[in-house]
């Protein structure tokens, strides 16, 4: 091979390697799926470039969102349509619409992505769906106005906030019944499960605090044990672990703020201001993402300092109630 051809081949090989690296890096970050209650759609945001790459029409008034990554699907509750929209993560299109009682709101997926749990606000029950074929599997009676849900990492227990009963219930998945319940603050709405610490956080929107529940003896006693109450801002709505699990971020709707809590000491270390009726919140790597209902955007924060890095415009009245960040596995 001549020197000229050898150099051309080397350049071509270098280009292919660079192209491969570029393609790989394009999948280095997952996507955020933000439900927009006012525009009846979902904004799909590529977190590598912090930009909306698709807008997916769904049912009316979408609120809750859960990602079944193993199935490459996003499940969205539409309370006003009484349905769930199923979005294919690769095509970014709705591939199915499921009937879901009278008021589907909270939603969560099991860690393996095989099941999706939905709270039916008006009929006081939790619906369970097979995420692979979208068939309903069971309906479990719970307390009044069930809202947020969280799934234990074992998949054997599901936690549900019973808003109008001021309680959190534990559902035994195998027996399909409520195993126990515990009284928390006034009007619990969202739940967050902290796997490393085996804790459950219940956000109480009327008492402006969060209840910290110990789950370590759950499968021995069947009960949640209250261990602390942490005062935050007005109407806490969503929560997310950040900075490698060191910090707990909580959105405060009626205070336009976010409380940052040391997850080990359970002390509020700072309060961040300047949001617009913040609702959903999630984290990825060194960033925290706050959904602003009033401002129709997503605030991107540095997870350690809490400083706002940028904002991303979304649809109208964005909610993002649930774990809204994820990516599909490689095909």
């Amino acid at each position: 091979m001549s020197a000229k051809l050898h150099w051309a081949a080397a350049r071509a090989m270098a280009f292919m390697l660079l192209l491969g690296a570029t393609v790989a890096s394009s999948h280095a970050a997952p996507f955020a799926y933000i439900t927009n209650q006012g525009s009846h759609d979902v904004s799909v945001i590529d977190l590598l470039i912090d930009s909306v790459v698709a807008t997916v029409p769904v049912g009316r008034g979408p609120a809750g969102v859960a990602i079944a990554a193993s199935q490459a699907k996003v499940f969205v509750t539409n309370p006003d349509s009484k349905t769930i929209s199923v979005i294919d993560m690769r095509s970014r299109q709705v591939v199915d619409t499921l009937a879901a009682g009278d008021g589907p709101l909270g939603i969560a997926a099991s860690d393996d992505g095989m099941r999706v749990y939905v709270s039916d606000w008006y009929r006081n029950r939790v619906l369970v769906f097979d995420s692979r074929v979208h068939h309903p599997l069971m309906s479990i009676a719970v307390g009044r106005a069930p809202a947020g849900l969280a799934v234990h990492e074992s998949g054997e227990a599901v936690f549900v906030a019973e808003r109008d009963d001021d309680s959190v219930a534990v559902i035994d998945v195998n027996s399909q019944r409520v195993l126990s319940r515990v009284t928390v603050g006034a009007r619990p709405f969202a739940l967050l499960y902290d796997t490393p610490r085996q804790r459950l956080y219940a956000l109480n929107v009327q008492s402006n605090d969060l209840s910290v529940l110990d789950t370590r003896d759950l499968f021995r006693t069947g009960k949640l044990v209250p261990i602390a109450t942490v005062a935050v801002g007005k109407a806490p709505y969503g929560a997310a672990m950040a900075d490698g699990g060191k910090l707990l971020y909580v959105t405060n709707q009626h205070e336009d703020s976010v409380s940052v809590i040391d997850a080990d000491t359970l002390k509020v270390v700072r309060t961040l201001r300047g949001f617009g009726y913040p609702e959903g919140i999630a984290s990825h790597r060194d960033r925290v993402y706050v959904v602003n209902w009033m401002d129709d955007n997503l605030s991107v924060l540095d997870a350690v300092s809490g400083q706002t890095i940028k904002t991303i415009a979304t649809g109208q009245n964005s909610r993002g109630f649930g774990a809204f960040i994820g990516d599909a596995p490689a095909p």
Side-chain angles (χ1 to χ4, degrees):
M1 179 183 294
S2 70
K4 185 175 182 179
L5 289 176
H6 180 79
W7 174 243
R11 288 187 64 187
M13 180 61 71
F15 175 77
M16 293 302 295
L17 290 172
L18 178 60
L19 179 62
T22 301
V23 172
S25 67
S26 69
H27 298 285
F31 295 83
Y33 297 83
I34 309 300
T35 52
N36 301 310
Q37 183 181 30
S39 49
H40 316 298
D41 53 30
V42 172
S43 298
V44 183
I45 299 173
D46 186 330
L47 299 186
L48 183 68
I49 58 176
D50 285 338
S51 181
V52 174
V53 293
T55 300
V56 184
V58 289
R60 295 193 59 80
V65 56
I67 296 173
S70 67
Q71 306 305 307
K73 296 171 186 174
V74 179
F75 291 79
V76 172
T77 59
N78 308 301
D80 294 351
S81 295
K82 303 179 182 181
T83 61
I84 297 169
S85 297
V86 184
I87 301 172
D88 182 280
M89 298 175 77
R90 298 190 177 103
S91 68
R92 296 170 186 162
Q93 295 181 347
V94 172
V95 293
D96 205 351
T97 301
L98 316 178
D102 287 346
L105 178 61
I107 187 167
S110 59
D111 283 1
D112 62 8
M114 297 299 183
R115 287 186 173 184
V116 173
Y117 299 86
V118 180
S119 60
D120 187 353
W121 177 274
Y122 293 114
R123 295 182 65 178
N124 303 328
R125 60 181 181 166
V126 170
L127 306 174
V128 187
F129 292 87
D130 184 318
S131 65
R132 295 165 294 182
V133 294
H134 312 157
H135 288 171
L137 297 174
M138 62 189 82
S139 171
I140 303 166
V142 294
R144 294 183 299 163
L149 297 160
V151 184
H152 191 273
E153 74 268 21
S154 68
E156 296 181 3
V158 175
F159 310 107
V160 55
E162 300 170 320
R163 183 187 184 277
D164 288 359
D165 289 334
D166 298 339
S167 60
V168 173
V170 180
I171 295 174
D172 182 302
V173 172
N174 295 322
S175 65
Q176 302 178 25
R177 65 181 181 89
V178 171
L179 187 63
S180 66
R181 53 176 43 92
V182 62
T183 299
V184 290
R187 301 299 187 261
F189 192 74
L191 299 177
L192 177 68
Y193 185 66
D194 181 348
T195 300
R197 296 178 181 84
Q198 297 181 58
R199 289 178 185 166
L200 183 70
Y201 305 105
L203 279 63
N204 307 307
V205 295
Q206 285 193 4
S207 52
N208 305 323
D209 53 28
L210 60 95
S211 300
V212 185
L213 308 173
D214 190 339
T215 71
R216 287 176 295 179
D217 288 333
L218 178 63
F219 295 107
R220 184 177 65 86
T221 66
K223 297 180 180 180
L224 300 171
V225 179
I227 57 175
T229 300
V230 182
V232 289
K234 294 180 181 178
Y237 181 95
M241 307 302 300
D243 189 20
K246 297 176 185 177
L247 299 174
L248 171 63
Y249 277 67
V250 176
T251 57
N252 304 307
Q253 279 181 325
H254 298 171
E255 200 172 85
D256 294 338
S257 69
V258 172
S259 298
V260 185
I261 301 165
D262 184 303
D264 288 325
T265 66
L266 295 175
K267 303 295 184 182
V268 176
V269 295
R270 65 180 65 92
T271 300
L272 311 175
R273 308 288 180 180
F275 302 92
Y277 207 78
E279 295 206 346
I281 185 169
S283 69
H284 175 66
R285 293 184 179 174
D286 60 349
R287 298 287 186 265
V288 174
Y289 301 86
V290 178
V291 182
N292 296 293
W293 188 90
M294 191 66 70
D295 291 346
D296 301 337
N297 64 24
L298 183 71
S299 297
V300 183
L301 314 181
D302 178 85
V304 178
S305 69
Q307 292 184 343
T308 298
I309 298 169
K310 68 181 301 182
T311 58
I312 304 168
T314 52
Q316 297 176 15
N317 305 132
S318 303
R319 299 195 69 178
F321 182 44
F324 57 74
I325 293 177
D327 199 2

